Amino acid sequence: MDSSSSSNDKFMDIPPWSNNKLVKAIVTEDWPAVRNILENEPHLIETRNENGETPLMYAVSNAPDDVLENMIETATVENFEQKTHFGGSTILHELVFYARVSAMRRVLEKTNRNINTQDIWGRTPLHVSLRGHWGLTHSYEQHKDMAIRLITFGASATVKDGDRKTPLDLYDDNECEEYEETTRSEKKKELRDLLEELSIPSEILARGPDAVKAFKDALENGEITVVNSRLMFLGNEGSGKTSCVKAMLGKEFNENEPSTNGIVTTTVFQTVGKDYNKWEEQKNVDSKSYSNICL
């Protein structure tokens, strides 16, 4: 079936998906044909069906390693960042589901922009890599390689899915049937501790055990409404800092705005009621009493 023909669409919509010889070769597992098509008609890898699925997504489950990695080398970054319309998954979700570790690494080396993208269930690729899957289990080494690689490239271990569970929560729930039975508990604790440590910012670790404990408690229970904050504008002389602040406050632009001498502090309140999205400058306000936004 033909895909969308938007003029801004970076994916090709011809030939129609139903006539796509690359897809047909993947479905029939004709890997020599896939290799030949990638060499002679590489544009076909940039096609997709109306659900947003690409030939690369079709190949993840059963393509030989060399074919899959050849497809990844041929594909564009836009291909990797494509999300399916139905489930909201990306190629990274698919790769970790099938534990295609080497291919996952090659994708991350090209782009990690969607590394924390959540599907319709709120799961990031890290969630998918660590949770249990009916009829499909991963070994300890697969879990370790995928999770460490994802975190190294920026995956967050604190994102919560639709059930309010983090990737580590899902790992706790995972029975890990592929692990050696006699060392399963030990391996799970070892990997969980490692992933937890890797997910803690170095600035927190440097401050010692108390800071780490406070950080973990904040992740678990900490939730507050931010009622004030400070924004600082830095830049070279004449770059437009003052004009930017004035624009945010709805003030008229002055083409001949004089250069600011020194540091200027502006206190503003966020308007309440119907105009809550507007900011208003306040003068002669006790700095301890304002409660929304400071510029």
Side-chain angles (χ1 to χ4, degrees), residues 40-179:
N40 296 294
E41 299 178 81
H43 62 278
L44 291 181
I45 200 168
E46 300 304 321
T47 54
R48 62 180 177 181
N49 64 14
E50 64 177 11
N51 185 41
E53 296 166 305
T54 66
L56 186 55
M57 291 177 177
Y58 267 50
V60 169
S61 64
N62 59 351
D65 288 342
D66 68 305
V67 173
L68 186 58
E69 293 184 23
N70 190 0
M71 293 179 73
I72 290 170
E73 290 302 313
T74 306
T76 63
V77 169
E78 288 79 16
N79 194 310
F80 305 142
E81 294 174 351
Q82 170 70 7
K83 292 177 62 176
T84 60
H85 305 321
F86 177 72
S89 61
T90 67
I91 188 61
L92 282 177
H93 287 87
E94 302 291 334
L95 289 168
V96 297
F97 180 83
Y98 289 102
R100 306 302 297 266
V101 182
S102 179
M104 180 197 75
R105 176 178 57 81
R106 291 187 178 273
V107 168
L108 289 172
E109 288 172 349
K110 285 195 170 186
T111 178
N112 67 339
R113 186 182 299 177
N114 282 358
I115 198 165
N116 288 311
T117 294
Q118 294 174 271
D119 61 19
I120 61 171
W121 296 280
R123 298 169 189 153
T124 66
L126 187 58
H127 279 94
V128 176
S129 74
L130 291 174
R131 71 184 293 264
H133 303 284
W134 182 81
L136 184 65
T137 57
H138 300 326
S139 68
Y140 169 77
E141 290 302 326
Q142 288 173 326
H143 275 146
K144 182 178 179 180
D145 288 348
M146 289 191 295
I148 290 177
R149 184 76 59 179
L150 286 167
I151 290 177
T152 299
F153 276 87
S156 172
T158 62
V159 175
K160 294 183 179 180
D161 65 12
D163 294 323
R164 306 294 297 168
K165 291 191 174 185
T166 68
L168 295 181
D169 292 332
L170 294 186
Y171 186 54
D172 291 339
D173 297 338
N174 191 344
E175 295 182 1
C176 299
E177 296 177 353
E178 286 294 310
Y179 289 19

Side-chain angles (χ1 to χ4, degrees), residues 131-235:
R131 71 184 293 264
H133 303 284
W134 182 81
L136 184 65
T137 57
H138 300 326
S139 68
Y140 169 77
E141 290 302 326
Q142 288 173 326
H143 275 146
K144 182 178 179 180
D145 288 348
M146 289 191 295
I148 290 177
R149 184 76 59 179
L150 286 167
I151 290 177
T152 299
F153 276 87
S156 172
T158 62
V159 175
K160 294 183 179 180
D161 65 12
D163 294 323
R164 306 294 297 168
K165 291 191 174 185
T166 68
L168 295 181
D169 292 332
L170 294 186
Y171 186 54
D172 291 339
D173 297 338
N174 191 344
E175 295 182 1
C176 299
E177 296 177 353
E178 286 294 310
Y179 289 19
E180 172 61 41
E181 186 175 356
T182 57
T183 59
R184 183 178 299 150
S185 297
E186 177 186 341
K187 288 292 187 183
K188 283 196 66 173
K189 183 180 185 309
E190 176 184 304
L191 180 54
R192 195 192 195 288
D193 289 346
L194 175 59
L195 297 179
E196 195 171 60
E197 182 178 346
L198 289 174
S199 66
I200 298 174
S202 58
E203 296 85 353
I204 300 295
L205 289 171
R207 293 169 59 186
D210 290 342
V212 171
K213 183 179 185 304
F215 177 77
K216 291 180 179 179
D217 289 343
L219 289 177
E220 184 67 27
N221 305 307
E223 189 171 309
I224 63 172
T225 299
V226 177
V227 296
N228 66 74
S229 59
R230 296 177 183 272
L231 300 179
M232 182 178 292
F233 289 78
L234 301 174

